PDB file of all heavy atoms in Angstrom:
ATOM      1  N   SER F  72      99.145 150.011 154.671  1.00 96.00           N
ATOM      2  CA  SER F  72      99.541 148.704 154.157  1.00 96.00           C
ATOM      3  C   SER F  72      98.370 147.727 154.219  1.00 96.00           C
ATOM      4  O   SER F  72      98.115 146.979 153.266  1.00 96.00           O
ATOM      5  CB  SER F  72     100.724 148.169 154.963  1.00 96.00           C
ATOM      6  OG  SER F  72     101.074 146.884 154.517  1.00 96.00           O
ATOM      7  N   CYS F  73      97.636 147.738 155.312  1.00 94.00           N
ATOM      8  CA  CYS F  73      96.461 146.884 155.454  1.00 94.00           C
ATOM      9  C   CYS F  73      95.404 147.254 154.415  1.00 94.00           C
ATOM     10  O   CYS F  73      94.823 146.387 153.762  1.00 94.00           O
ATOM     11  CB  CYS F  73      95.887 147.000 156.859  1.00 94.00           C
ATOM     12  SG  CYS F  73      94.459 145.929 157.147  1.00 94.00           S
ATOM     13  N   HIS F  74      95.171 148.530 154.241  1.00 95.00           N
ATOM     14  CA  HIS F  74      94.174 149.005 153.279  1.00 95.00           C
ATOM     15  C   HIS F  74      94.519 148.602 151.843  1.00 95.00           C
ATOM     16  O   HIS F  74      93.636 148.470 151.006  1.00 95.00           O
ATOM     17  CB  HIS F  74      94.031 150.524 153.349  1.00 95.00           C
ATOM     18  CG  HIS F  74      93.359 150.998 154.586  1.00 95.00           C
ATOM     19  ND1 HIS F  74      93.367 152.335 154.935  1.00 95.00           N
ATOM     20  CD2 HIS F  74      92.675 150.347 155.560  1.00 95.00           C
ATOM     21  CE1 HIS F  74      92.705 152.472 156.075  1.00 95.00           C
ATOM     22  NE2 HIS F  74      92.276 151.281 156.469  1.00 95.00           N
ATOM     23  N   ARG F  75      95.788 148.430 151.570  1.00 96.00           N
ATOM     24  CA  ARG F  75      96.210 148.054 150.217  1.00 96.00           C
ATOM     25  C   ARG F  75      96.150 146.547 149.967  1.00 96.00           C
ATOM     26  O   ARG F  75      96.134 146.121 148.818  1.00 96.00           O
ATOM     27  CB  ARG F  75      97.636 148.539 149.960  1.00 96.00           C
ATOM     28  CG  ARG F  75      97.710 150.036 149.815  1.00 96.00           C
ATOM     29  CD  ARG F  75      99.120 150.504 149.549  1.00 96.00           C
ATOM     30  NE  ARG F  75      99.113 151.945 149.328  1.00 96.00           N
ATOM     31  CZ  ARG F  75     100.157 152.725 149.519  1.00 96.00           C
ATOM     32  NH1 ARG F  75     101.305 152.212 149.905  1.00 96.00           N
ATOM     33  NH2 ARG F  75     100.061 154.021 149.306  1.00 96.00           N
ATOM     34  N   THR F  76      96.148 145.751 151.025  1.00 95.00           N
ATOM     35  CA  THR F  76      96.238 144.302 150.850  1.00 95.00           C
ATOM     36  C   THR F  76      95.018 143.530 151.337  1.00 95.00           C
ATOM     37  O   THR F  76      94.711 142.475 150.798  1.00 95.00           O
ATOM     38  CB  THR F  76      97.472 143.745 151.576  1.00 95.00           C
ATOM     39  OG1 THR F  76      97.393 144.069 152.967  1.00 95.00           O
ATOM     40  CG2 THR F  76      98.757 144.318 150.996  1.00 95.00           C
ATOM     41  N   GLN F  77      94.347 144.029 152.346  1.00 92.00           N
ATOM     42  CA  GLN F  77      93.219 143.324 152.947  1.00 92.00           C
ATOM     43  C   GLN F  77      92.025 143.289 151.994  1.00 92.00           C
ATOM     44  O   GLN F  77      91.664 144.304 151.411  1.00 92.00           O
ATOM     45  CB  GLN F  77      92.816 144.011 154.259  1.00 92.00           C
ATOM     46  CG  GLN F  77      91.717 143.335 155.025  1.00 92.00           C
ATOM     47  CD  GLN F  77      92.147 142.018 155.625  1.00 92.00           C
ATOM     48  OE1 GLN F  77      93.283 141.852 156.010  1.00 92.00           O
ATOM     49  NE2 GLN F  77      91.225 141.088 155.708  1.00 92.00           N
ATOM     50  N   GLU F  78      91.412 142.163 151.848  1.00 92.00           N
ATOM     51  CA  GLU F  78      90.214 142.064 151.029  1.00 92.00           C
ATOM     52  C   GLU F  78      88.998 142.400 151.883  1.00 92.00           C
ATOM     53  O   GLU F  78      88.863 141.909 152.993  1.00 92.00           O
ATOM     54  CB  GLU F  78      90.071 140.648 150.469  1.00 92.00           C
ATOM     55  CG  GLU F  78      88.896 140.491 149.547  1.00 92.00           C
ATOM     56  CD  GLU F  78      88.872 139.134 148.849  1.00 92.00           C
ATOM     57  OE1 GLU F  78      89.801 138.334 149.070  1.00 92.00           O
ATOM     58  OE2 GLU F  78      87.926 138.891 148.092  1.00 92.00           O
ATOM     59  N   VAL F  79      88.131 143.266 151.367  1.00 88.00           N
ATOM     60  CA  VAL F  79      86.919 143.604 152.111  1.00 88.00           C
ATOM     61  C   VAL F  79      85.794 142.648 151.740  1.00 88.00           C
ATOM     62  O   VAL F  79      85.768 142.096 150.637  1.00 88.00           O
ATOM     63  CB  VAL F  79      86.461 145.065 151.874  1.00 88.00           C
ATOM     64  CG1 VAL F  79      87.490 146.049 152.379  1.00 88.00           C
ATOM     65  CG2 VAL F  79      86.149 145.337 150.429  1.00 88.00           C
ATOM     66  N   ASN F  80      84.885 142.441 152.665  1.00 85.00           N
ATOM     67  CA  ASN F  80      83.697 141.623 152.428  1.00 85.00           C
ATOM     68  C   ASN F  80      82.759 142.466 151.576  1.00 85.00           C
ATOM     69  O   ASN F  80      81.855 143.112 152.076  1.00 85.00           O
ATOM     70  CB  ASN F  80      83.059 141.232 153.758  1.00 85.00           C
ATOM     71  CG  ASN F  80      81.841 140.371 153.589  1.00 85.00           C
ATOM     72  OD1 ASN F  80      81.474 140.000 152.480  1.00 85.00           O
ATOM     73  ND2 ASN F  80      81.196 140.060 154.686  1.00 85.00           N
ATOM     74  N   PHE F  81      82.997 142.468 150.291  1.00 84.00           N
ATOM     75  CA  PHE F  81      82.366 143.403 149.371  1.00 84.00           C
ATOM     76  C   PHE F  81      81.036 142.911 148.819  1.00 84.00           C
ATOM     77  O   PHE F  81      80.089 143.663 148.688  1.00 84.00           O
ATOM     78  CB  PHE F  81      83.342 143.662 148.213  1.00 84.00           C
ATOM     79  CG  PHE F  81      82.962 144.799 147.322  1.00 84.00           C
ATOM     80  CD1 PHE F  81      83.116 146.111 147.738  1.00 84.00           C
ATOM     81  CD2 PHE F  81      82.467 144.572 146.053  1.00 84.00           C
ATOM     82  CE1 PHE F  81      82.783 147.168 146.916  1.00 84.00           C
ATOM     83  CE2 PHE F  81      82.129 145.621 145.223  1.00 84.00           C
ATOM     84  CZ  PHE F  81      82.291 146.921 145.658  1.00 84.00           C
ATOM     85  N   LYS F  82      80.955 141.653 148.495  1.00 80.00           N
ATOM     86  CA  LYS F  82      79.784 141.127 147.795  1.00 80.00           C
ATOM     87  C   LYS F  82      78.528 141.051 148.658  1.00 80.00           C
ATOM     88  O   LYS F  82      77.435 141.265 148.182  1.00 80.00           O
ATOM     89  CB  LYS F  82      80.099 139.751 147.224  1.00 80.00           C
ATOM     90  CG  LYS F  82      81.149 139.788 146.141  1.00 80.00           C
ATOM     91  CD  LYS F  82      81.468 138.402 145.650  1.00 80.00           C
ATOM     92  CE  LYS F  82      82.621 138.440 144.666  1.00 80.00           C
ATOM     93  NZ  LYS F  82      83.033 137.111 144.262  1.00 80.00           N
ATOM     94  N   SER F  83      78.665 140.752 149.924  1.00 81.00           N
ATOM     95  CA  SER F  83      77.481 140.570 150.768  1.00 81.00           C
ATOM     96  C   SER F  83      77.379 141.624 151.869  1.00 81.00           C
ATOM     97  O   SER F  83      76.954 141.340 152.971  1.00 81.00           O
ATOM     98  CB  SER F  83      77.506 139.167 151.380  1.00 81.00           C
ATOM     99  OG  SER F  83      78.677 139.005 152.164  1.00 81.00           O
ATOM    100  N   ASN F  84      77.796 142.850 151.553  1.00 86.00           N
ATOM    101  CA  ASN F  84      77.807 143.921 152.534  1.00 86.00           C
ATOM    102  C   ASN F  84      77.099 145.139 151.924  1.00 86.00           C
ATOM    103  O   ASN F  84      77.613 145.770 151.017  1.00 86.00           O
ATOM    104  CB  ASN F  84      79.257 144.252 152.903  1.00 86.00           C
ATOM    105  CG  ASN F  84      79.370 145.227 154.033  1.00 86.00           C
ATOM    106  OD1 ASN F  84      78.502 146.065 154.229  1.00 86.00           O
ATOM    107  ND2 ASN F  84      80.454 145.136 154.781  1.00 86.00           N
ATOM    108  N   LYS F  85      75.925 145.472 152.418  1.00 88.00           N
ATOM    109  CA  LYS F  85      75.115 146.550 151.846  1.00 88.00           C
ATOM    110  C   LYS F  85      75.834 147.906 151.844  1.00 88.00           C
ATOM    111  O   LYS F  85      75.532 148.759 151.035  1.00 88.00           O
ATOM    112  CB  LYS F  85      73.783 146.647 152.577  1.00 88.00           C
ATOM    113  CG  LYS F  85      72.887 145.460 152.302  1.00 88.00           C
ATOM    114  CD  LYS F  85      71.445 145.822 152.552  1.00 88.00           C
ATOM    115  CE  LYS F  85      70.546 144.660 152.269  1.00 88.00           C
ATOM    116  NZ  LYS F  85      70.435 144.343 150.852  1.00 88.00           N
ATOM    117  N   TYR F  86      76.791 148.094 152.765  1.00 87.00           N
ATOM    118  CA  TYR F  86      77.548 149.346 152.791  1.00 87.00           C
ATOM    119  C   TYR F  86      78.207 149.616 151.438  1.00 87.00           C
ATOM    120  O   TYR F  86      78.333 150.753 151.010  1.00 87.00           O
ATOM    121  CB  TYR F  86      78.607 149.313 153.897  1.00 87.00           C
ATOM    122  CG  TYR F  86      79.476 150.542 153.927  1.00 87.00           C
ATOM    123  CD1 TYR F  86      79.026 151.709 154.528  1.00 87.00           C
ATOM    124  CD2 TYR F  86      80.727 150.564 153.329  1.00 87.00           C
ATOM    125  CE1 TYR F  86      79.806 152.854 154.540  1.00 87.00           C
ATOM    126  CE2 TYR F  86      81.520 151.692 153.329  1.00 87.00           C
ATOM    127  CZ  TYR F  86      81.051 152.843 153.946  1.00 87.00           C
ATOM    128  OH  TYR F  86      81.822 153.968 153.953  1.00 87.00           O
ATOM    129  N   TYR F  87      78.618 148.560 150.751  1.00 90.00           N
ATOM    130  CA  TYR F  87      79.357 148.700 149.500  1.00 90.00           C
ATOM    131  C   TYR F  87      78.476 148.630 148.256  1.00 90.00           C
ATOM    132  O   TYR F  87      78.982 148.628 147.138  1.00 90.00           O
ATOM    133  CB  TYR F  87      80.458 147.641 149.424  1.00 90.00           C
ATOM    134  CG  TYR F  87      81.473 147.776 150.533  1.00 90.00           C
ATOM    135  CD1 TYR F  87      81.565 146.820 151.538  1.00 90.00           C
ATOM    136  CD2 TYR F  87      82.337 148.865 150.584  1.00 90.00           C
ATOM    137  CE1 TYR F  87      82.489 146.953 152.565  1.00 90.00           C
ATOM    138  CE2 TYR F  87      83.253 149.009 151.601  1.00 90.00           C
ATOM    139  CZ  TYR F  87      83.335 148.049 152.589  1.00 90.00           C
ATOM    140  OH  TYR F  87      84.235 148.189 153.600  1.00 90.00           O
ATOM    141  N   ASP F  88      77.172 148.583 148.410  1.00 91.00           N
ATOM    142  CA  ASP F  88      76.264 148.506 147.256  1.00 91.00           C
ATOM    143  C   ASP F  88      76.421 149.683 146.291  1.00 91.00           C
ATOM    144  O   ASP F  88      76.178 149.550 145.104  1.00 91.00           O
ATOM    145  CB  ASP F  88      74.797 148.419 147.709  1.00 91.00           C
ATOM    146  CG  ASP F  88      74.425 147.038 148.204  1.00 91.00           C
ATOM    147  OD1 ASP F  88      75.240 146.100 148.066  1.00 91.00           O
ATOM    148  OD2 ASP F  88      73.312 146.890 148.749  1.00 91.00           O
ATOM    149  N   LYS F  89      76.825 150.836 146.798  1.00 92.00           N
ATOM    150  CA  LYS F  89      76.924 152.036 145.966  1.00 92.00           C
ATOM    151  C   LYS F  89      78.099 152.001 144.977  1.00 92.00           C
ATOM    152  O   LYS F  89      78.161 152.808 144.063  1.00 92.00           O
ATOM    153  CB  LYS F  89      77.032 153.279 146.850  1.00 92.00           C
ATOM    154  CG  LYS F  89      78.247 153.279 147.768  1.00 92.00           C
ATOM    155  CD  LYS F  89      78.194 154.427 148.753  1.00 92.00           C
ATOM    156  CE  LYS F  89      79.298 154.281 149.781  1.00 92.00           C
ATOM    157  NZ  LYS F  89      79.147 155.210 150.864  1.00 92.00           N
ATOM    158  N   PHE F  90      79.007 151.048 145.127  1.00 94.00           N
ATOM    159  CA  PHE F  90      80.171 150.963 144.246  1.00 94.00           C
ATOM    160  C   PHE F  90      79.864 150.056 143.055  1.00 94.00           C
ATOM    161  O   PHE F  90      80.421 148.981 142.890  1.00 94.00           O
ATOM    162  CB  PHE F  90      81.386 150.447 145.030  1.00 94.00           C
ATOM    163  CG  PHE F  90      81.839 151.388 146.106  1.00 94.00           C
ATOM    164  CD1 PHE F  90      81.420 151.212 147.414  1.00 94.00           C
ATOM    165  CD2 PHE F  90      82.661 152.462 145.813  1.00 94.00           C
ATOM    166  CE1 PHE F  90      81.828 152.084 148.417  1.00 94.00           C
ATOM    167  CE2 PHE F  90      83.071 153.339 146.803  1.00 94.00           C
ATOM    168  CZ  PHE F  90      82.656 153.158 148.109  1.00 94.00           C
ATOM    169  N   LEU F  91      78.955 150.533 142.204  1.00 94.00           N
ATOM    170  CA  LEU F  91      78.472 149.736 141.081  1.00 94.00           C
ATOM    171  C   LEU F  91      79.595 149.344 140.114  1.00 94.00           C
ATOM    172  O   LEU F  91      79.603 148.232 139.584  1.00 94.00           O
ATOM    173  CB  LEU F  91      77.377 150.495 140.332  1.00 94.00           C
ATOM    174  CG  LEU F  91      76.134 150.857 141.159  1.00 94.00           C
ATOM    175  CD1 LEU F  91      75.166 151.683 140.328  1.00 94.00           C
ATOM    176  CD2 LEU F  91      75.462 149.607 141.701  1.00 94.00           C
ATOM    177  N   ASP F  92      80.536 150.257 139.872  1.00 95.00           N
ATOM    178  CA  ASP F  92      81.628 149.957 138.943  1.00 95.00           C
ATOM    179  C   ASP F  92      82.500 148.807 139.447  1.00 95.00           C
ATOM    180  O   ASP F  92      82.903 147.939 138.669  1.00 95.00           O
ATOM    181  CB  ASP F  92      82.478 151.202 138.673  1.00 95.00           C
ATOM    182  CG  ASP F  92      83.087 151.801 139.931  1.00 95.00           C
ATOM    183  OD1 ASP F  92      82.455 151.737 141.010  1.00 95.00           O
ATOM    184  OD2 ASP F  92      84.213 152.348 139.842  1.00 95.00           O
ATOM    185  N   LEU F  93      82.766 148.779 140.752  1.00 95.00           N
ATOM    186  CA  LEU F  93      83.578 147.691 141.303  1.00 95.00           C
ATOM    187  C   LEU F  93      82.817 146.367 141.281  1.00 95.00           C
ATOM    188  O   LEU F  93      83.404 145.316 141.025  1.00 95.00           O
ATOM    189  CB  LEU F  93      84.037 148.031 142.724  1.00 95.00           C
ATOM    190  CG  LEU F  93      85.066 149.157 142.818  1.00 95.00           C
ATOM    191  CD1 LEU F  93      85.342 149.508 144.268  1.00 95.00           C
ATOM    192  CD2 LEU F  93      86.347 148.791 142.105  1.00 95.00           C
ATOM    193  N   HIS F  94      81.515 146.418 141.527  1.00 94.00           N
ATOM    194  CA  HIS F  94      80.701 145.201 141.434  1.00 94.00           C
ATOM    195  C   HIS F  94      80.744 144.644 140.013  1.00 94.00           C
ATOM    196  O   HIS F  94      80.873 143.431 139.811  1.00 94.00           O
ATOM    197  CB  HIS F  94      79.256 145.470 141.858  1.00 94.00           C
ATOM    198  CG  HIS F  94      79.066 145.538 143.335  1.00 94.00           C
ATOM    199  ND1 HIS F  94      79.046 144.420 144.136  1.00 94.00           N
ATOM    200  CD2 HIS F  94      78.896 146.596 144.163  1.00 94.00           C
ATOM    201  CE1 HIS F  94      78.859 144.779 145.394  1.00 94.00           C
ATOM    202  NE2 HIS F  94      78.772 146.098 145.444  1.00 94.00           N
ATOM    203  N   ALA F  95      80.673 145.524 139.016  1.00 96.00           N
ATOM    204  CA  ALA F  95      80.720 145.097 137.619  1.00 96.00           C
ATOM    205  C   ALA F  95      82.079 144.491 137.274  1.00 96.00           C
ATOM    206  O   ALA F  95      82.156 143.474 136.577  1.00 96.00           O
ATOM    207  CB  ALA F  95      80.412 146.277 136.700  1.00 96.00           C
ATOM    208  N   LYS F  96      83.160 145.099 137.780  1.00 96.00           N
ATOM    209  CA  LYS F  96      84.502 144.579 137.512  1.00 96.00           C
ATOM    210  C   LYS F  96      84.712 143.216 138.159  1.00 96.00           C
ATOM    211  O   LYS F  96      85.377 142.347 137.580  1.00 96.00           O
ATOM    212  CB  LYS F  96      85.562 145.571 137.991  1.00 96.00           C
ATOM    213  CG  LYS F  96      85.667 146.807 137.125  1.00 96.00           C
ATOM    214  CD  LYS F  96      86.706 147.765 137.660  1.00 96.00           C
ATOM    215  CE  LYS F  96      86.791 149.012 136.784  1.00 96.00           C
ATOM    216  NZ  LYS F  96      87.788 149.957 137.294  1.00 96.00           N
ATOM    217  N   LEU F  97      84.168 143.017 139.348  1.00 93.00           N
ATOM    218  CA  LEU F  97      84.244 141.711 140.003  1.00 93.00           C
ATOM    219  C   LEU F  97      83.483 140.663 139.200  1.00 93.00           C
ATOM    220  O   LEU F  97      83.971 139.560 138.967  1.00 93.00           O
ATOM    221  CB  LEU F  97      83.660 141.769 141.422  1.00 93.00           C
ATOM    222  CG  LEU F  97      84.555 142.225 142.543  1.00 93.00           C
ATOM    223  CD1 LEU F  97      83.754 142.393 143.824  1.00 93.00           C
ATOM    224  CD2 LEU F  97      85.702 141.263 142.761  1.00 93.00           C
ATOM    225  N   LYS F  98      82.290 141.036 138.784  1.00 94.00           N
ATOM    226  CA  LYS F  98      81.431 140.107 138.045  1.00 94.00           C
ATOM    227  C   LYS F  98      82.065 139.704 136.711  1.00 94.00           C
ATOM    228  O   LYS F  98      82.003 138.538 136.313  1.00 94.00           O
ATOM    229  CB  LYS F  98      80.056 140.731 137.812  1.00 94.00           C
ATOM    230  CG  LYS F  98      79.046 139.786 137.232  1.00 94.00           C
ATOM    231  CD  LYS F  98      77.678 140.409 137.158  1.00 94.00           C
ATOM    232  CE  LYS F  98      76.669 139.407 136.617  1.00 94.00           C
ATOM    233  NZ  LYS F  98      75.324 139.965 136.600  1.00 94.00           N
ATOM    234  N   SER F  99      82.699 140.646 136.036  1.00 97.00           N
ATOM    235  CA  SER F  99      83.314 140.363 134.734  1.00 97.00           C
ATOM    236  C   SER F  99      84.653 139.641 134.871  1.00 97.00           C
ATOM    237  O   SER F  99      85.192 139.147 133.893  1.00 97.00           O
ATOM    238  CB  SER F  99      83.523 141.661 133.954  1.00 97.00           C
ATOM    239  OG  SER F  99      84.584 142.416 134.521  1.00 97.00           O
TER     240      SER F  99
END
């Protein structure tokens, strides 16, 4: 339930840099 609702610190976290498609979807 937490994994489905909690927002991750995605934009400023180098761990998530590899998720290029999600970065593009956020930006658009």
Side-chain angles (χ1 to χ4, degrees):
S72 177
C73 182
H74 289 168
R75 289 181 176 156
T76 58
Q77 184 70 33
E78 183 172 358
V79 296
N80 181 3
F81 191 74
K82 294 178 186 175
S83 60
N84 187 331
K85 291 203 179 289
Y86 177 81
Y87 298 111
D88 283 352
K89 60 188 171 190
F90 295 96
L91 300 176
D92 58 327
L93 291 174
H94 282 284
K96 288 179 181 180
L97 275 172
K98 188 174 182 177
S99 72

